[in-house]
Amino acid sequence: MWVALKEDCFTYTVNLREDLRTIVDVTHVPTKREVLKVVMSLFDPLGLISHFLVHGKILIQGTWASGTGWDEPINEDLYQRWRQWVDLFPMLDNIKIPRCYFSTFPDTLEGLQLVLVGAKSKVAPLKTLSIPRLELNAAVLGVRFLASVLGYHTFPVSQRFFWSDSTTVLAWIRSDHRRFHKFVSVRIGEILTLSDPQDWRWVPSKKNVSDVTTKWKNGPNLGSNSAWLQGPEFLRYGEESWPEQPPAVTTHEEVRRVQVHWNPTPPMDYSWFNRWTKLQRTMAYVIRFIDSSRRKNIGQHLHLKVLSQGELARAEMLLWKMAQANAFPEEITILEETRGTPEIHHTTVSKSSSIYKTWPFMDEQGILRMRGRIGAATYVPFKAKYPAILPKCHPVTYLITD
């Protein structure tokens, strides 16, 4: 015998087991374990009521944040939110969602738009994240879900629209994602892999139906005519009636700092010198000339033939710094922020650096030095404890070694 069905709808039935009915009883204060048991017993594979179920997940997170033990009753604040949530269970029985996308099947699929096929929601992590970062995670969740939906359908898709009320996220998507910190750039890269910037539209928060997942007030509307199930009203009209798009903006949030190393010392042709002492003395005379120029008594001290030990030491240190600047610009940028003695600062360079294993640091004169076991010696001079680091293929290093 064939029976004609009047409706072809998805429905929800809350039929709790005996042990679960005891947990949701109004006279019972549940433990964290019991809250988890009830939340995980609810099954919604398409996420059609995720705006309701997400608050059960938020309750579980609240029990973790409050430090409640597994078999301890939840606190008063969580209990009030628990009662508000479980009291809505009977309303789930009234939800009916047509299983077919269209009430009457169209002659052609061209120009048709889908509203609610499924949904996905996640609870913000306990680790504090900025609002733009959370909104960016939501955008990533959206493009991943779209890729999943398209994978299960065979009809052609000519246009896709992503709606977000975050102007910051939209600015990130329409910018060069390499400008931003890794957290943002990686996620924007995934978004641009699965979508195009022109697919993204801005929607005012008041018209963003996904906000009902967090802005409950007296609870979500679980009726079949709710905005969650029907979609934003403006989607029922032509594109000319959609929210007016704001002008393109740029954002400075999460912009990665560009580190530029500038070496103020003019380049030197080391091929002019075949001995270290000759190079050192020449640099010492250059330093003497610069000092005289700054004191506006050019030539007053240049006639002196004897170079002091201080001038030679300054020349040596300057040549070391020039060699290091040529070979280790990124390391200098990192270690310059923690200049000082090795006992105070423990900042190290990237593992990919050629001097990573030397455990380098920058001394107060701006010279890169290495740390080692000899640093624990008491009566050893500082220069012997922490030798200067020189690039192995630099002319200065060759001349010193020779």
Side-chain angles (χ1 to χ4, degrees), residues 340-346 359 361-362 371 382 386:
T341 59
E343 292 81 6
I344 298 176
H345 301 294
H346 301 283
W359 199 17
F361 74 99
M362 179 178 286
R371 283 175 274 202
F382 181 85
Y386 310 107

Side-chain angles (χ1 to χ4, degrees), residues 120-157:
K120 192 80 173 177
S121 64
K122 281 190 175 181
V123 180
L126 290 175
K127 180 181 178 181
T128 304
L129 288 178
S130 65
I131 297 299
R133 285 194 171 194
L134 291 174
E135 292 169 331
L136 178 60
N137 282 339
V140 172
L141 196 64
V143 294
R144 289 176 180 173
F145 189 69
L146 173 72
S148 178
V149 169
L150 294 180
Y152 283 99
H153 291 79
T154 58
F155 52 75
V157 175

